[in-house]
Amino acid sequence: MAISLTDAAANRVRTFIDNRGKGLGLRLGVKTTGCSGLAYVLEFVDELEEGDTVFEHEDVKVIVDAKSLVYLDGTQLDFVKNGLNEGFEFTNPNQKDECGCGESFTV
């Protein structure tokens, strides 16, 4: 099982943690929501929880809980800028479909 980050995503996460002044890494997870069923969740992690799996890219840690890892295995996290818009993008090989607004997905 693996989660990967592009260099752009790793740099962005590192900048967020540096600006925050603390943090072990970034938690990537899923929650039940939206019209398609699941949505990605990103949040800072200060302490590991039981069952967490840690993936690392260039000293940046991505932490995933056991429940979410089933849905996220093989996912690549990228950070992209398109004109005035910027944000994280997920390439998830488990994703079968997403809702029209792009806020939720199914596996």
Side-chain angles (χ1 to χ4, degrees), residues 6-104:
T6 63
D7 290 341
N11 289 335
R12 189 62 171 177
V13 171
R14 188 179 302 107
T15 299
F16 280 142
I17 292 172
D18 289 348
N19 289 341
R20 186 172 180 251
K22 65 177 183 174
L24 180 63
L26 183 73
R27 180 174 300 283
L28 172 59
V30 295
K31 67 177 180 176
T32 304
T33 189
C35 46
S36 289
L38 297 170
Y40 297 105
V41 177
L42 294 172
E43 58 190 12
F44 294 111
V45 174
D46 294 325
E47 293 182 18
L48 291 177
E49 297 176 8
E50 187 174 328
D52 281 346
T53 302
V54 179
F55 302 93
E56 193 165 344
H57 177 81
E58 294 185 6
D59 78 338
V60 174
K61 293 177 178 65
V62 175
I63 297 100
V64 182
D65 64 272
K67 176 189 161 249
S68 296
L69 189 55
V70 173
Y71 302 106
L72 298 172
D73 183 31
T75 296
Q76 181 183 59
L77 181 61
D78 192 10
F79 185 78
V80 296
K81 292 183 180 185
N82 293 319
L84 297 176
N85 297 319
E86 61 181 34
F88 289 102
E89 286 188 357
F90 307 90
T91 303
N92 184 345
N94 305 300
Q95 182 175 321
K96 303 297 181 213
D97 199 10
E98 69 180 5
C99 66
C101 65
E103 292 297 318
S104 62

